[in-house]
Amino acid sequence: MTTKHCRWGILGAAFIARKNWQAIRDAGNAILVAVASRDVARAQTFIDECQASAPHAVVPEAMGSYEALLARPDIDAVYIPLPTGLRKEWVIKAAQAGKHVLVEKPVGCTADDVAEIIAVCDKHRVQFMDGVMFMHGRRLQHLRGVVDNEVGPVRHIATQFSFMSDDEFQRSNIRAHGKLEPLGCLGDLGWYCLRFTLWAMNEIAPVQVTGRIHSETRQTADSPAVPLEFSGTLTFADGASASFYCSFTTANAQWAIVSGAKALLQVSDFVLPFSGTQTQFSLTRSAFNLEGCRADMHEGSETVVLNEPSNNAPGSQESGLFQTFSQLVLSGQPDPRWPQISLLTQRVLDACLLSARKGSEVVSV
């Protein structure tokens, strides 16, 4: 490849793609060439609206066919935000067309789907990665040393990612549609909880998990029910444990806590950093003091602030995602770590759902 920029195409005009429209622009080593939808008018509307908000120097082309976009020789990589139920087909077609693939999460309906996807990408020597943005933020990179050196050994990880939907969401949003998004809140939100947990544990798989569906919905009589509210636990070989909760029926929350032998790490916005020009986290080293009849618990908390834009700016985790991926494409050397962490996340997710379907039975991973 002679260009210094990775040339991108987008398959689908999903809402999340609007955020990544700007992330591609802000990456510094990427350009957006075209956007495809099943309807060229819809693709053009998407481009017009995004261009008005975050203009690219050269306006991307609207296309009315995914196949036509994949056939273009001037596109190196594709971002695929299509529904999970359609994702496997188009990831495989993209890889077969020689396109590197960045895909939304959950990557597939099952771990078998993801293993098949990765095998095809390996065969065609294209980079595969899922779109978990926080993996590419400065804060998480900084936190690696914090967890390993200041918090650990890790004993427990707790996470929650939730938002309050309404009745219309449950009736019509694809995230509650059993055929398009069969994993419901577990796939849409729980994926992030599981990924953070696996990251904190240095990507070591748990040995056992449990899961529980607290509520679910069924949009149509012929579509499977999907979880609206889900919780789970993970147990690791070294005795560490984790718990997570995800929900479409609970107020906005996206916190993570890592408890270790030395300290407690708290991140209040681990998925989508709160709006601003900085990100932060807190470390707590509480101390208990007993003198005579007086008992005192000293908080011992400190907040660490990092210069990192929260979103939609150069240097944010979104732009970091596309910058990292584009650099791998430009290098010609795919990094196998990224597909493997996707597969591990899906395996653990599958096991949690299996446990839930079996009445919260303990399932080995």
Side-chain angles (χ1 to χ4, degrees):
M1 192 182 305
T2 58
T3 179
K4 294 182 180 179
H5 290 81
C6 179
R7 301 166 298 180
W8 283 87
I10 296 178
L11 263 63
F15 178 79
I16 186 63
R18 293 174 179 265
K19 193 171 189 179
N20 287 329
W21 162 285
Q22 182 165 347
I24 293 172
R25 187 196 69 172
D26 292 341
N29 58 354
I31 56 173
L32 180 57
V33 175
V35 176
S37 178
R38 292 294 195 185
D39 178 358
V40 69
R42 184 165 186 246
Q44 188 62 59
T45 298
F46 174 89
I47 290 170
D48 292 343
E49 292 176 352
C50 290
Q51 187 70 6
S53 174
H56 286 247
V58 177
V59 180
E61 180 180 344
M63 305 187 71
S65 164
Y66 300 152
E67 293 89 347
L69 187 148
L70 294 178
R72 292 181 64 138
D74 60 344
I75 289 179
D76 308 306
V78 291
Y79 165 59
I80 302 180
L82 298 172
T84 306
L86 306 177
R87 207 161 281 161
K88 173 183 167 182
E89 172 189 0
W90 289 103
V91 173
I92 289 175
K93 287 182 177 180
Q96 291 171 337
K99 310 302 182 189
H100 302 270
V101 183
L102 176 63
V103 68
E104 272 305 325
K105 31 47 51 197
V107 173
C109 297
T110 67
D112 287 343
D113 285 348
V114 180
E116 185 178 349
I117 284 169
I118 292 172
V120 174
C121 290
D122 286 346
K123 177 181 177 180
H124 294 278
R125 290 196 52 77
V126 296
Q127 180 67 57
F128 176 84
M129 186 186 292
D130 68 45
V132 176
M133 298 172 181
F134 67 68
M135 296 289 291
H136 305 272
R138 298 174 192 169
R139 177 170 60 183
L140 204 75
Q141 294 170 17
H142 180 84
L143 287 178
R144 179 74 278 155
V146 173
V147 171
D148 292 345
N149 302 318
E150 299 184 55
V151 173
V154 173
R155 302 315 306 150
H156 186 74
I157 304 156
T159 56
Q160 176 175 331
F161 190 16
S162 60
F163 68 85
M164 174 62 76
S165 65
D166 55 19
D167 291 342
E168 182 58 32
F169 175 96
Q170 296 179 31
R171 283 194 299 267
S172 61
N173 192 283
I174 67 167
R175 285 177 285 180
H177 192 291
K179 291 183 178 178
L180 294 175
E181 296 293 348
L183 303 174
C185 71
L186 178 60
D188 189 54
L189 306 177
W191 183 278
Y192 291 97
C193 297
L194 292 172
R195 174 59 60 81
F196 183 91
T197 298
L198 294 170
W199 168 84
M201 293 300 296
N202 282 297
E203 299 172 15
I204 295 173
V207 292
Q208 292 181 327
V209 305
T210 65
R212 182 180 179 187
I213 298 171
H214 299 277
S215 62
E216 58 186 0
T217 189
R218 187 189 306 272
Q219 282 192 352
T220 62
D222 64 341
S223 65
V226 301
L228 286 174
E229 187 182 9
F230 192 100
S231 66
T233 65
L234 289 70
T235 304
F236 294 86
D238 67 353
S241 63
S243 58
F244 72 95
Y245 173 80
C246 55
S247 172
F248 290 151
T249 60
T250 307
N252 286 343
Q254 44 161 339
W255 53 261
I257 299 174
V258 182
S259 302
K262 303 173 188 174
L264 181 80
L265 166 69
Q266 294 177 280
V267 185
S268 299
D269 54 350
F270 80 97
V271 181
L272 301 168
F274 294 138
S275 183
T277 59
Q278 298 175 316
T279 56
Q280 63 182 40
F281 63 91
S282 65
L283 274 175
T284 301
R285 301 179 181 89
S286 297
F288 179 71
N289 186 49
L290 180 62
E291 292 185 8
C293 296
R294 182 182 178 88
D296 291 304
M297 177 67 79
H298 300 283
E299 182 179 11
S301 180
E302 65 170 315
T303 298
V304 180
V305 177
L306 304 174
N307 289 323
E308 176 185 19
S310 62
N311 56 31
N312 299 108
S316 65
Q317 62 183 28
E318 295 91 346
S319 64
L321 167 63
F322 282 89
Q323 184 179 67
T324 299
F325 193 99
S326 296
Q327 184 55 46
L328 289 171
V329 172
L330 294 168
S331 74
Q333 297 294 324
D335 183 347
R337 174 188 171 231
W338 295 108
Q340 290 308 311
I341 186 61
S342 295
L343 180 58
L344 175 58
T345 308
Q346 188 87 41
R347 284 176 53 216
V348 175
L349 186 153
D350 284 4
C352 289
L353 184 58
L354 177 62
S355 168
R357 297 296 189 200
K358 290 187 171 185
S360 299
E361 177 182 313
V362 174
V363 171
S364 298
V365 180

